[in-house]
Amino acid sequence: MNLNKRVKLLSLSVSTVALFFSTAIYAQSDRLKVHKKVLYNMTFQMDSLNTASKTTELTELLLSDTVSLFRTLHKAEQDATYAAYINNKVIQLSAPVVVTIGKINNLNYQILKSNTGQIKVYDEYSGSNLNHVKEINYYTEPATAMDSWKLSSDTITIDQFLCQKAEIDFGGRHWTAWFSTEIPISDGPYKFGKLPGLILRLEDSSKTWKFEFQSIQNVDEDIELNKKENVEIKKINKDKLFKDRRYYQKNMLSIMESNGGSIAEDRKAAQERLNEVIRKDNNWIEL
């Protein structure tokens, strides 16, 4: 391992970082004092039949003394912009909302994880970008969600870290993870964790979803989640959230019209285009 990476890891505890939910985590505005940041590239193929539909998003795993947060950097930038508006009232947010027909933002989540295995997921407006956000939904995963890892003796080296193989079935997929005990953090991308080291690579068996470690660094950041005006935070059943997301997608045109929107093209042609987009959006991370 090169010297720079060793220096980055000097402040890591020899024991696994303890992450847990305090009762405050369920307040309407969650605050985190972040001391470490891990970046992953997330590559995914939204049409399972078309490799050309692959795209890559940069994501971050933020670690505090009590909880970890996983989200895309795009989500982080959106929230930072909105927070600046709330604090200073200097950003004009009244521009018309531009909607791409059939496009559903199902990467709009914020995932909080504890060392007991509890997972809490915030998701805004059921992942739809049809209108301004009116409510933030959240649901929880059972504490046993990450208890069925099967460890292997297989090892590889990733970015000069020695990694061990582990496998798990989750969200309708079979996943293979490579984790390193050289980074003693029991966490990883998305909802994954509870291994004896940080997950550096994670891929499903269809090879259409993949997370790859990019960097780890010490930081000193204060983050406040869900700092938004006139927004209700509402608990929802996970299955209902996924069902609602599909409902919004399939009924996008009528929902737009009922909210006073207009369609700039022939209604029938717009519906056909919507149906085609939905047909190709068939490979969500949880099936």
Side-chain angles (χ1 to χ4, degrees), residues 188-221:
Y190 195 57
K191 300 175 182 178
F192 296 90
K194 296 185 77 173
L195 285 169
L198 184 68
I199 297 173
L200 298 191
R201 182 180 298 165
L202 179 71
E203 187 172 23
D204 82 310
S205 57
S206 73
K207 299 189 181 302
T208 57
W209 282 88
K210 186 176 185 178
F211 298 86
E212 295 180 286
F213 170 81
Q214 298 299 302
S215 65
I216 182 170
Q217 60 181 314
N218 296 323
V219 296
D220 183 11
E221 298 179 7

Side-chain angles (χ1 to χ4, degrees), residues 104-231:
I104 293 294
N105 183 5
N106 54 16
L107 304 177
N108 206 31
Y109 49 69
Q110 300 179 96
I111 301 172
L112 296 172
K113 293 179 280 185
S114 77
N115 68 330
T116 60
Q118 188 177 11
I119 301 168
K120 183 178 182 182
V121 183
Y122 287 108
D123 209 333
E124 297 183 14
Y125 202 59
S126 293
S128 172
N129 60 0
L130 289 171
N131 297 299
H132 293 297
V133 172
K134 295 180 180 178
E135 67 180 25
I136 300 174
N137 298 138
Y138 75 89
Y139 65 88
T140 58
E141 296 279 8
T144 57
M146 290 291 133
D147 283 355
S148 57
W149 286 105
K150 295 181 180 179
L151 273 62
S152 165
S153 59
D154 294 350
T155 60
I156 60 172
T157 299
I158 298 175
D159 209 8
Q160 300 187 41
F161 294 102
L162 180 64
C163 296
Q164 184 178 346
K165 183 180 180 181
E167 297 178 82
I168 195 171
D169 292 317
F170 179 77
R173 297 180 184 273
H174 183 75
W175 295 89
T176 297
W178 295 93
F179 67 93
S180 178
T181 57
E182 294 180 15
I183 309 178
I185 299 174
S186 183
D187 216 320
Y190 195 57
K191 300 175 182 178
F192 296 90
K194 296 185 77 173
L195 285 169
L198 184 68
I199 297 173
L200 298 191
R201 182 180 298 165
L202 179 71
E203 187 172 23
D204 82 310
S205 57
S206 73
K207 299 189 181 302
T208 57
W209 282 88
K210 186 176 185 178
F211 298 86
E212 295 180 286
F213 170 81
Q214 298 299 302
S215 65
I216 182 170
Q217 60 181 314
N218 296 323
V219 296
D220 183 11
E221 298 179 7
D222 292 303
I223 294 178
E224 185 173 5
L225 303 184
N226 306 321
K227 187 175 182 179
K228 298 190 175 179
E229 293 181 330
N230 303 316
V231 174

Side-chain angles (χ1 to χ4, degrees), residues 51-68:
T51 57
S53 68
K54 278 190 176 180
T55 187
T56 298
E57 289 259 0
L58 192 59
T59 64
E60 62 181 7
L61 175 67
L62 305 175
L63 299 166
S64 76
D65 289 334
T66 57
V67 68
S68 70

Side-chain angles (χ1 to χ4, degrees), residues 99 125 128-132 134 248 251-262:
V99 177
Y125 202 59
S128 172
N129 60 0
L130 289 171
N131 297 299
H132 293 297
K134 295 180 180 178
Y248 289 129
N251 296 277
M252 181 174 287
L253 299 182
S254 59
I255 292 173
M256 287 173 61
E257 291 168 333
S258 66
N259 285 324
S262 60

